[in-house]
Amino acid sequence: MCVISVGEDRQTVLKFRDDRGYTFPIGLDPRHREFRNYALDSIPRTYLIDRENRIVSQMSGFAPEAFDRLQEELQRRLN
């Protein structure tokens, strides 16, 4: 899993990740390239991409329950 942050500096992003106990990498998008490609209509936008580079699930906005389901789906696909 990789999260891409738009508009926040590295320290803010790392604090957010650490405060929530997340361990996955979070990338920065200072030029908004990925934002324009994947999240222009809403943020946060979350995609689950399979081993063949197909989007198999996506989530617009953030809700802890939906994020938990997305993580469960990821675990199922990895096993």
Side-chain angles (χ1 to χ4, degrees):
M1 177 181 295
C2 178
V3 175
I4 300 173
S5 175
V6 178
E8 289 86 11
D9 62 59
R10 182 175 301 282
Q11 291 302 97
T12 301
V13 169
L14 292 176
K15 182 176 181 344
F16 172 83
R17 185 189 67 182
D18 294 345
D19 286 351
R20 283 158 181 78
Y22 299 147
T23 58
F24 48 80
I26 299 177
L28 303 177
D29 185 19
R31 295 189 179 138
H32 294 204
R33 289 180 183 164
E34 300 310 317
F35 176 78
R36 285 192 299 271
N37 288 329
Y38 296 101
L40 195 54
D41 62 344
S42 66
I43 55 173
R45 187 85 179 199
T46 305
Y47 295 91
L48 179 58
I49 300 171
D50 71 8
R51 295 173 196 261
E52 287 78 38
N53 294 319
R54 295 176 300 205
I55 296 172
V56 295
S57 183
Q58 61 181 302
M59 180 175 72
S60 181
F62 181 80
E65 302 83 15
F67 190 71
D68 290 344
R69 286 193 302 273
L70 195 66
Q71 286 184 303
E72 290 168 6
E73 175 71 15
L74 175 62
Q75 287 304 315
R76 277 196 302 278
R77 289 178 176 275
L78 289 174
N79 293 329

